[in-house]
Structures are given as C-alpha cells and as structure tokens.
C-alpha cells in the first residue's frame, strides 16, 4: 500500500465499523429459573386459628416471585433464594381442608412451582360433662346433652360404641336421644364425640 501523511497522521486506508447506538448487538436477557417448593412451615393449622406467617422453603425464589394460597394471590416477602413468607389470615384457616401453595417466577423464563398443600384440620373435640350424668335401669327414652368444646355441625357421637344421631346445638353442646333399650341394663357406657 501507498502510505500518505495527512496533516501529521499516517493514513493506511483502514476502515472503522461503527455499529448502532446501543453499543453493538445485544444478547437476550437471562432467563429466570422455575421455582421449586420443598416444605412449608408450619405444615398445618387447626380450623379457626388466628393469623400467622407461613414460611415457604425451596429453591430459585426471586424478589419478584408471587405466591398463591388456595388459588388466591398473597403478598410475598422475599427472604432469600430459598425462602419466602406470606401472611395467612384467620379467614384463610376458617375451614378444614387441604389448600395448595404455589410460587411463580416472572418471565422471561420463570413459571409456576410444584404445588404443596397446607392442611387445615378440624379441632379435636373434648367432653366436659353429660347431662344427665346417669340414669336408672329401665328409664324411659330421654335426651342426653353433651357439653364440651370444639364441636362441629358434622360431629358424630357414639354411645356404648354404637353410632347415635347427634343434634348440633353449638360448638360447646350436642344432644343425642337415648332409647329405653339404651338404658335397660346397668353399666357404665362410653360417650365419644
């Protein structure tokens, strides 16, 4: 090539490629991972429980992850890539059942995690006293009132290991009918709710 000096600058006839204003070709943004849930803490509650914090443990959580509980969105607090928390209200735990918890990461990529169930269990009933507490052999049919706690409209009662039709009065009271044959023989008969 022929070299030429132009105003003190050596020109070799080279060419400079200038790309667009964005600094060159851009690569696509990184793809977000799909989250995974390994456990819930606590894993269950009793129906009627007060508000609580539910901790979701897993992997690939992001600050933009969202959480649904029983298919309803709940505000998530990002703790780390392995932990999120949400607040469960008393109404979230009012009824017994098994309620799905799902974490979703935003796009690009991302997606929904596996579903893990949070169990809301019915409380265990307790019997405080029976009214009447006893009867005489040969007594006529009568109503037995069962007083206690945590009774439900679906509670069942057995008298002497046999199912009895229970009438729900309140969460602290049930009644059953005792027939004359239920009281025909002396003994001590268990009542279970």
């Amino acid at each position: 090539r022929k070299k030429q000096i132009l105003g003190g600058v050596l020109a070799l006839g080279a060419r400079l490629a200038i790309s667009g204003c964005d600094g060159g070709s851009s690569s696509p943004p990184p793809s977000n991972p799909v989250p995974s849930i390994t456990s819930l803490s606590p894993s269950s509650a009793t129906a009627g429980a007060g508000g609580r914090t539910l901790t979701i443990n897993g992997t690939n959580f992001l600050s933009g992850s969202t959480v649904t509980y029983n298919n309803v969105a709940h505000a998530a607090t990002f703790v780390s890539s392995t932990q999120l928390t949400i607040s469960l209200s008393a109404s979230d735990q009012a009824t017994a059942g098994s309620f799905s918890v799902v974490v979703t990461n935003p796009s690009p990529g991302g997606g929904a995690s596996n579903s893990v169930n949070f169990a809301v269990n019915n409380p265990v009933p307790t019997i405080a006293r029976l009214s009447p507490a006893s009867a005489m052999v040969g007594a006529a049919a009568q109503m037995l009132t069962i007083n206690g706690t945590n009774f439900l409209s679906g509670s069942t009662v057995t008298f002497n290991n046999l199912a009895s039709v229970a009438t729900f009065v309140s969460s602290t009271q049930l009644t059953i009918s005792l027939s004359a044959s239920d009281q025909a023989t002396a003994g001590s008969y268990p009542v279970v709710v």
Side-chain angles (χ1 to χ4, degrees), residues 6 14 21-22 24 62 71 77 83 111 114 173-174:
L6 298 172
C21 296
D22 64 355
L62 306 172
N71 298 316
T77 299
Q83 198 170 83
N114 54 311
Q173 195 170 84
L174 300 171

Side-chain angles (χ1 to χ4, degrees), residues 41-110:
S41 181
S43 60
S44 65
T46 300
R52 72 179 62 233
T53 297
L54 178 65
T55 301
I56 304 160
N57 301 297
T59 58
N60 297 327
F61 298 156
L62 306 172
S63 59
S65 295
T66 58
V67 176
T68 59
Y69 170 87
N70 194 26
N71 298 316
V72 176
H74 281 61
T77 299
F78 177 78
V79 179
S80 70
S81 63
T82 60
Q83 198 170 83
L84 299 170
T85 63
I86 62 170
S87 293
L88 295 182
S89 66
S91 62
D92 288 326
Q93 306 165 88
T95 307
S98 188
F99 304 105
S100 66
V101 177
V102 175
V103 175
T104 303
N105 281 351
S107 60

